[in-house]
Amino acid sequence: MDNIYLLMIIALAALAIADLVVGVSNDAVNFLNSAIGSKAISFRTIMIVASLGIAFGAIFSSGMMEVARKGIFNPGEFYFDEIMFIFMAVMITDILLLDFFNTLGMPTSTTVSIVFELLGAAVAMSLIKIAADNGSFGDVVNYINTTKATEIILGILLSVVVAFSIGALVQWVSRLLLSYDFQRKAKWVGAVFGGIALSAITYFIFMKGIKGTPFAGETYELIGGMKISEFLEAKVVSIIGVSIVFWSLLSYLLVVVFRVDIYKVIIGVGTFALALAFAGNDLVNFIGVPIAAYQSYEAWTASGIPASEFSMSVLTEKVPTPTILLFISGLIMVATLWLSKKARYVADTEINLAREGEAKERFEPNILSRNLVRFTIMANEYTRTVLPDSLLNKVNKRFEKPVIKLNQGKVHELPAFDMVRAAVNLMVAGILISIATSYKLPLSTTYVTFMVAMGTSLADKAWGSESAVYRVAGVLNVIGGWFMTALIAFIASGTILTVISFGKGAAIGILLFVAILLIGRNYISHRKKSQELKAEDGLRRTESSHLKGVIAESAHNISKVVKRSNKIFTNSINGLSKMDLDLLNKNKKQGAKLSAEIDDLRDSIFYFIKNLDETSLGASNFYINILGDLQDMAQSLEYIGKVSHNHVNNNHKKLKYNQIKELKEIDLLLEEILNKTREVFDTEAFDKLDEIIDRKQELFGLLSQKIEKQVARTRTEESSPKNTTLYFSLLLETKDFVTATMNLLEQYREAHEGTINQIPISNNPLSPLT
């Protein structure tokens, strides 16, 4: 039986490595987003700075490990075998939960997950012990460190409101002082802002870094015989005051003499600081439990007492974490940061929610987001009636956004927000986390950084009337996910603990096997999805400012739409012929996805028109008409995919042999024409469009012939109304698809001929091409 505990230690070590990987994938969003979103420094530089921060933070994180040992439960109330079961349940739950959220691309809190997993497992074990001793439910408080647990939970929840509010306030004041034209302000303005920001960030670095080192508790005559940790807390005002003067003078020197962009310096130092905070604060979430388990195992083996009788009061003592383990953990975290694709996916969620202006919205508005936006608009209107117009005009002038000329950079390459907002994000998050650290609270860095970013976005008026409902819905979804994290962590950990407690070694083996299967499946699924997205013929926005460029760029999209259309139509026919529900289900999703991508292109028409040269305004007519034809094609294919899927999904009769044969005949002819069309657009051999357009009547003739045949069959032999309805729907929608395709080719031919002969194109999108 003793060997099982050694095997559990080995399993926990493996789970710790896996937890480090999934944890960094989730939490990299905390320290990367401000730098990535502002595009202030290169991605490679961001990664190097963040890696250094993680390495230092990991080595200095020993002090926080106490939370896993005694922060949530009273270890003296449990025996060694019970504590090992608790730790095993926590780690299995944690890795599954974090991997699930990473796969969804949703940032969640590793701190919240570990706290509620420890709480859930400890409560479950307590109830099992109470039931065995015929105790009362109220005795559970003897096993749980209710004071500390309540303090931690309230601190985490309070951080949501505080981070959002302070982030919004600081950003509003910063923008009021600096405006969007901050680069043209007097040199001393940037220097003072740099002094304040760098003072906050460097104090935060010292608070997080030094307090985790062994010499933090040493006394030094230089600081009046005080401990460093006590000195940092007692002399906060003096230290920050001197620091602001020092950093302001240094910032001024850097700006004036060396012509350094102080905002880039702030973002670089802030990224290092938050990476250090993440490793120092959150490393306990990944390896705190396995290290506590290992130290428990060492104490138990040295005691010679049976596992079911050895009290774990040893965990109440302060035991330093071996530096080598912290160093190895830091290396794993750095490697994950560079290699993890899921980290980038999670980061995109927060950046898009904080993005200035237009973005592809991931979240759909809901009734709560609509009402919150409506209430805010009403409150804003009321404020306008109370405050004097002169004051409002002055404030509004400070928030006027600069007009961005799109021909200076492509839309998708523009920063999500400017460097002032990125600096405020890092500064405020650093201050809040350092305050929490001074009170020894394992604050959720995810909650703080995310809510600060959302608060600064709101204050910066990044959420306009056209995006607010989507952004607010996104924030509500993420916050809802956090509460779900707590609930799921508590219930799942308690359930797994119960299974382990009764099943012992066999249950642990089965659970580990299931965990490996689930993680492996998620990894394969995410990798497959990433490969599909990479290989997929995605559509891209046209960003040329002249007609010839628009024609060339549109050719790429048309080629991709034609290729995907061919596949969607063929899969619909093949799925119907084989009654293959899986194929039809995937095909239906592909049709909806193509339609959504074209809709996204249409949503960017505003930016396309703004980007055009004065001499090429007629290109707007061509581009709008092309998008209209592409949308008609996609809608026809989406409908074909939907009715085909519904027919098989509802278990209706299979189409008759002659119907399938005729549909395949249409598919073959359509495939031949679409392949030639794709070849024309891939090679830009637009003079060959006439050959394809000349076959329009051949296609229409074939479709009319099949319609007539089905009419005849319906009158004489057809007995299934559903089959008849489906068949006619497919033929008529195919006819609409062909009509839209040929209209597009004719538009393209005329536009191409117009550019060759220098024939002007009307800039009226409703007029025919001339």
Side-chain angles (χ1 to χ4, degrees), residues 394-627:
K394 285 181 181 178
V395 171
N396 290 334
K397 194 172 182 180
R398 310 297 288 177
F399 282 83
E400 283 182 2
K401 297 179 176 65
V403 177
I404 298 173
K405 294 181 179 179
L406 297 182
N407 55 14
Q408 292 179 352
K410 294 186 175 181
V411 174
H412 62 271
E413 292 176 352
L414 295 175
F417 39 80
D418 68 2
M419 290 188 284
V420 169
R421 178 132 60 98
V424 171
N425 285 345
L426 294 164
M427 175 176 63
V428 174
I431 291 169
L432 293 177
I433 295 171
S434 61
I435 291 171
T437 301
S438 68
Y439 289 101
K440 296 183 176 64
L441 291 175
L443 192 74
S444 170
T445 53
T446 301
Y447 284 17
V448 171
T449 53
F450 180 85
M451 293 311 296
V452 166
M454 294 305 103
T456 58
S457 302
L458 178 66
D460 223 17
K461 299 186 178 180
W463 299 349
S465 58
E466 295 185 2
S467 62
V469 288
Y470 305 99
R471 307 290 175 85
V472 173
V475 174
L476 293 174
N477 271 277
V478 172
I479 293 175
W482 294 344
F483 285 104
M484 286 301 295
T485 299
L487 183 63
I488 294 170
F490 182 86
I491 295 172
S493 185
T495 303
I496 291 176
L497 181 282
T498 304
V499 172
I500 291 174
S501 182
F502 290 104
K504 303 293 190 298
I508 292 172
I510 293 170
L511 286 169
L512 287 173
F513 180 71
V514 171
I516 292 169
L517 282 181
L518 290 174
I519 292 168
R521 189 192 69 174
N522 285 345
Y523 173 76
I524 293 169
S525 174
H526 186 268
R527 187 177 179 183
K528 185 178 178 182
K529 185 178 178 181
S530 299
Q531 288 174 342
E532 285 175 355
L533 288 173
K534 191 175 181 181
E536 190 178 68
D537 301 295
L539 308 184
R540 60 189 183 206
R541 296 180 181 181
T542 299
E543 293 174 327
S544 291
S545 58
H546 52 85
L547 179 57
K548 285 186 179 180
V550 172
I551 290 174
E553 286 191 43
S554 297
H556 168 271
N557 283 341
I558 292 171
S559 173
K560 301 309 178 188
V561 170
V562 167
K563 180 183 177 183
R564 290 165 68 178
S565 298
N566 198 355
K567 185 178 180 181
I568 291 168
F569 188 85
T570 299
N571 284 343
S572 296
I573 305 307
N574 288 342
L576 280 172
S577 65
K578 299 173 184 176
M579 299 293 280
D580 188 339
L581 187 59
D582 286 339
L583 176 60
L584 289 172
N585 187 42
K586 291 177 184 176
N587 193 55
K588 178 185 172 185
K589 291 178 181 177
Q590 286 299 314
K593 192 171 187 299
L594 177 61
S595 187
E597 286 184 46
I598 294 172
D599 286 344
D600 186 49
L601 291 180
R602 295 201 71 167
D603 289 342
S604 67
I605 284 176
F606 171 83
Y607 299 95
F608 165 75
I609 294 173
K610 296 280 279 186
N611 192 39
L612 285 174
D613 292 338
E614 288 293 332
T615 57
S616 302
L617 289 179
S620 61
N621 177 32
F622 166 76
Y623 186 64
I624 291 168
N625 287 334
I626 288 294
L627 285 181

Side-chain angles (χ1 to χ4, degrees), residues 36 44 61 184 226 364 415 438 487 494 521 542 595:
I36 292 174
R44 182 180 179 82
S61 65
R184 296 185 183 180
M226 297 174 67
E364 291 297 322
S438 68
L487 183 63
R521 189 192 69 174
T542 299
S595 187

